[in-house]
Amino acid sequence: MKSIISDIHSNLEALQSVLKDIEKQGITEIICLGDIVGYGPNPNECLDLILGKCSKIVIMGNHDEALMQPVVGFGHKARQAIEWTRTLLEPGWLSPRVKKNRWKFLKNLPLTKQDNGILCVHGSPRNPTTEYILPSDTETVMGERSAKLDEIFNMFQHFCFVGHSHYAGIITEEQKFLTPVNLNYAYNIKPNEKLIVNVGSVGQPRDGDNRSCYVTFDEKTINYHRVEYDFKTTQKKIYEIPELDHWFGERLEKGQ
């Protein structure tokens, strides 16, 4: 059994609650699909937890990548949060080893990773850190198939696990989008079936449910898990940091 998490966004309270929930189930293999940082108040602490808990696969997200290069393609609020995060994380010559190790870890994250027929990527196989795979991609005119989804399905063998949109759900080869609620939080995998699975967001859900979201997977079943956490503590931390827009805290309560 594997657990798959994504889009933590420096939300320590959410990550701690999810890791505790995973531990209760006796699951030791945790895959992280990126965006460990961005938006939230605790990038160092979240990185340390991911470093300690996700020893096998951690993928680079677009916010992680943005720390290493000029920030483009982000709105003003997100860009300001990235620049503030960089001031905390980027080491200098005299920085302690722990700070240098965090930066080295982020800098060397892979864009994709294959694991026994599973493709792990933050956004999409076509553009790993920036392209979104969205529910709206399944909504085509006159019943036509989406060429975008057809191309993506041809790029992996069995399962493609993604994050990035913060919107949990499964896309089938028939190009149907199924939410966790539609599925009663569990999906039984058919023989030889190919699926795109968005695991949702740990630190900033946007599907109208403010609880953290993650997936467990055993090659027979995909299970979605929603975990309550102390979002008010995270909100308070965000409001106390001038470089983090209040909207990043407000949306945690709304789940949007």
Side-chain angles (χ1 to χ4, degrees):
M1 178 77 76
K2 310 175 195 291
S3 56
I4 308 174
I5 63 175
S6 189
D7 295 276
I8 294 129
H9 286 298
S10 300
N11 187 334
L12 180 61
E13 287 71 34
L15 180 58
Q16 288 174 327
S17 295
V18 164
L19 291 176
K20 188 177 294 185
D21 197 68
I22 292 170
E23 185 179 359
K24 278 184 193 173
Q25 299 174 68
I27 300 170
T28 57
E29 184 175 345
I30 305 173
I31 294 170
C32 178
L33 302 181
D35 273 5
I36 304 164
V37 302
Y39 298 133
N42 291 109
N44 286 319
E45 295 85 350
C46 289
L47 271 166
D48 289 344
L49 280 173
I50 294 300
L51 271 162
K53 298 290 186 180
C54 304
S55 58
K56 188 173 181 182
I57 297 176
V58 184
I59 302 299
M60 181 172 284
N62 58 311
H63 285 254
D64 311 319
E65 184 180 56
L67 293 174
M68 309 298 161
Q69 56 194 29
V71 183
V72 295
F74 289 84
H76 171 72
K77 296 174 185 178
R79 184 170 64 250
Q80 190 175 31
I82 289 166
E83 289 169 350
W84 173 78
T85 302
R86 187 188 292 121
T87 66
L88 295 185
L89 291 174
E90 188 172 19
W93 285 105
L94 300 178
S95 294
R97 183 177 296 276
V98 65
K99 189 169 186 176
K100 291 179 178 178
N101 286 343
R102 288 187 193 117
W103 190 255
K104 182 180 178 181
F105 169 73
L106 278 172
K107 190 175 182 179
N108 292 315
L109 290 176
L111 295 177
T112 65
K113 193 81 171 178
Q114 295 276 356
D115 181 42
N116 294 324
I118 300 170
L119 176 62
C120 298
V121 62
H122 180 67
S124 159
R126 301 197 311 178
N127 197 327
T129 57
T130 58
E131 184 176 51
Y132 290 92
I133 302 175
L134 299 167
S136 58
D137 292 326
T138 64
E139 300 166 6
T140 54
V141 179
M142 302 294 290
E144 294 179 358
R145 291 182 63 84
S146 162
K148 169 185 173 180
L149 289 180
D150 280 338
E151 183 178 345
I152 290 170
F153 269 100
N154 285 331
M155 296 179 73
F156 63 92
Q157 187 177 0
H158 292 304
F159 310 106
C160 179
F161 286 93
V162 303
H164 195 35
S165 72
H166 301 210
Y167 204 100
I170 292 174
I171 296 178
T172 67
E173 275 194 285
E174 294 75 33
Q175 301 194 354
K176 303 292 185 184
F177 182 79
L178 307 170
T179 71
V181 174
N182 295 150
L183 300 168
N184 198 26
Y185 297 94
Y187 184 87
N188 294 319
I189 300 165
K190 303 175 185 69
N192 303 314
E193 188 171 26
K194 294 178 75 171
L195 300 168
I196 298 168
V197 183
N198 191 306
V199 304
S201 172
V202 169
Q204 198 188 86
R206 295 180 187 169
D207 56 0
D209 186 335
N210 70 4
R211 296 174 297 171
S212 294
C213 187
Y214 76 96
V215 155
T216 53
F217 168 73
D218 65 0
E219 300 189 12
K220 295 180 181 178
T221 308
I222 296 163
N223 289 285
Y224 280 93
H225 304 263
R226 302 306 295 235
V227 182
E228 292 184 359
Y229 73 96
D230 182 10
F231 66 83
K232 290 189 180 295
T233 292
T234 314
Q235 282 182 321
K236 185 173 184 294
K237 291 178 185 178
I238 289 172
Y239 298 157
E240 290 172 351
I241 298 169
E243 293 84 358
L244 299 182
D245 193 274
H246 279 206
W247 170 235
F248 300 147
E250 291 163 4
R251 73 187 313 171
L252 297 180
E253 187 166 2
K254 300 174 182 179
Q256 57 184 237

